[in-house]
Amino acid sequence: MVKTYAVFFLLLTGCASWFSAALAEPGAEQELLRYSRTHDMIAPDGVPMLRVFDTGRVLVHRPAYMKQAGDYEYYLSAEEMKALQERIERKSIIDFDKARLKQQLREAEAALQGGGRQLFAISDNTYTHLSVYPGANGPVSDIHWANLQNDADRHSGLRDLAEMAETERFLQTLLQHPKMMKLD
């Protein structure tokens, strides 16, 4: 009996996915990325701070703790879309390998400690969350990293880390775009 329900549930789930894909409007916009930055001291509200679509539409969510909290929308220019595409199509983003990058970071940290450098500590972490959706051609790239900007500043020789930090700085500028219009 349990197997029958499990098979029925799988069939129903598969059909629902097929129907939603079949009924989707041709040419409907696709989400390219989601970005958020959270902190240990502030509870996240679960809404991505930035969502960008292939049409150039951008949705910005400023949580309640930020100045000018609320939801905003605007459209990127062709040049801005090109700059964004170039950043999110980098190997460091698309082929993000957290384990490999963490190992490189540990080796860089060991080299700093061996050289008699000063100790470094962070009391409250800042977390970068970036999901890139390349469409039907590839897997979603999910990046979750604590203290990205600090790590990139301290270890500028790690190219992937530096590129990720540069991408995050670019995304931060999109959160402050002059064309933003507040949604009601």
Side-chain angles (χ1 to χ4, degrees), residues 144-163:
H144 299 278
W145 197 270
N147 306 310
L148 175 60
Q149 296 299 323
N150 288 329
D151 286 347
D153 289 345
R154 294 190 69 231
H155 304 287
S156 58
L158 296 177
R159 196 187 95 224
D160 286 355
L161 200 57
E163 285 182 359

Side-chain angles (χ1 to χ4, degrees), residues 11-174:
L11 242 155
L12 185 62
T13 305
C15 287
S17 298
W18 182 83
F19 278 126
S20 64
L23 296 175
E25 292 180 40
E29 65 184 0
Q30 298 292 312
E31 190 170 25
L32 290 179
L33 70 86
R34 288 180 182 206
Y35 165 74
S36 288
R37 192 171 182 189
T38 59
H39 309 280
D40 274 341
M41 301 272 302
I42 303 170
D45 62 8
V47 179
M49 294 175 73
L50 182 72
R51 293 175 63 200
V52 181
F53 298 86
D54 61 352
T55 58
R57 186 166 71 106
V58 178
L59 295 177
V60 172
H61 171 74
R62 291 186 178 161
Y65 64 85
M66 296 180 82
K67 290 181 182 179
Q68 299 174 336
D71 295 313
Y72 299 82
E73 178 183 49
Y74 67 94
Y75 283 84
L76 294 172
S77 68
E79 296 83 26
E80 291 168 324
M81 269 305 272
K82 183 179 179 199
L84 175 64
Q85 283 292 137
E86 288 172 357
R87 282 176 173 79
I88 65 173
E89 289 175 354
R90 291 178 176 169
K91 187 170 175 47
S92 59
I93 303 296
I94 295 298
D95 295 330
F96 175 68
D97 184 348
K98 188 172 188 171
R100 181 184 54 78
L101 194 51
K102 284 283 189 186
Q103 179 60 35
Q104 290 174 349
L105 190 61
R106 278 191 294 276
E107 291 168 5
E109 286 288 336
L112 282 178
Q113 290 176 355
R117 295 277 179 96
Q118 73 180 49
L119 294 174
F120 180 79
I122 297 172
S123 62
D124 299 310
N125 292 313
T126 300
Y127 302 96
T128 298
H129 310 274
L130 175 62
S131 297
V132 178
Y133 307 96
N137 300 340
V140 173
S141 179
D142 274 321
I143 297 172
H144 299 278
W145 197 270
N147 306 310
L148 175 60
Q149 296 299 323
N150 288 329
D151 286 347
D153 289 345
R154 294 190 69 231
H155 304 287
S156 58
L158 296 177
R159 196 187 95 224
D160 286 355
L161 200 57
E163 285 182 359
M164 286 172 28
E166 179 186 318
T167 298
E168 182 178 43
R169 285 190 294 273
F170 180 79
L171 295 174
Q172 285 288 320
T173 65
L174 297 182

